[in-house]
Amino acid sequence: MVNLTEILEPIAAWFRSLGVPEPIVHWGHPAMMGIVIFVMGSFVGFSGWRGRLAEDKEVASKSRSDHRKLAPWMFLFMALGYTGGVLSLVMQHQPIFQSPHFWTGSILLLLLGINGAISLSKFGGNNPGLRALHAYLGSSALCLMLVHALLGLHLGISL
């Protein structure tokens, strides 16, 4: 079995050689991802639900449009942040797979990826069941983001 830490160690060593201050290595990922989770995640979830529930057609249309524009960016930033978080663990000589924060992040990206695929399929031809699944899967991902953030805070304090 390939050891992920061994694969990433040369990259981590290069970043360590840059002399990045320890507080940035330690708390940079949580600070940036906190913005993505709490600002972007809240807006994406709110606009998605408002697009589903608003009775005013214009408000619903604008909300769906906002959701459609920002959700892919949130996924991209989450994927980049995931990569940065794993690299941060390697830079700090911490085990990757022993962290519940790693596992919630992995599950979170999987859920968001499935949700994106549902959306890209045009909800299977505008299937109401897939639209509902998309809404509830996205909401579940937002809840998992909160758990993930708490686990990350615990991890950051424990290192």
Side-chain angles (χ1 to χ4, degrees), residues 3-90:
N3 185 338
L4 185 58
T5 300
E6 289 176 11
I7 293 169
L8 295 175
E9 180 53 40
I11 300 167
W14 182 78
F15 277 106
R16 274 191 228 102
S17 76
L18 297 175
V20 177
E22 191 277 332
I24 292 175
V25 172
H26 192 88
W27 292 108
H29 168 76
M32 295 296 111
M33 293 312 296
I35 293 167
V36 173
I37 287 174
F38 292 108
V39 177
M40 291 182 89
S42 297
F43 183 80
V44 166
F46 176 76
S47 63
W49 276 104
R50 191 165 74 177
R52 283 180 63 83
L53 301 175
E55 292 182 19
D56 181 326
K57 299 282 186 199
E58 196 172 305
V59 169
S61 178
K62 175 158 179 13
S63 292
R64 282 192 302 273
S65 175
D66 290 345
H67 180 80
R68 203 171 23 252
K69 288 175 189 170
L70 194 58
W73 288 105
M74 184 189 75
F75 178 79
L76 174 65
F77 290 142
M78 294 289 286
L80 292 171
Y82 175 89
T83 305
V86 169
L87 192 55
S88 175
L89 283 175
V90 176

Side-chain angles (χ1 to χ4, degrees), residues 108 137-148:
L108 184 57
L137 191 60
S139 295
S140 298
L142 288 174
C143 291
L144 182 58
M145 283 181 202
L146 295 175
V147 172
H148 180 70

Side-chain angles (χ1 to χ4, degrees), residues 123-143:
F123 305 98
N126 207 20
N127 178 316
L130 282 179
R131 283 193 169 279
L133 177 62
H134 177 80
Y136 290 106
L137 191 60
S139 295
S140 298
L142 288 174
C143 291

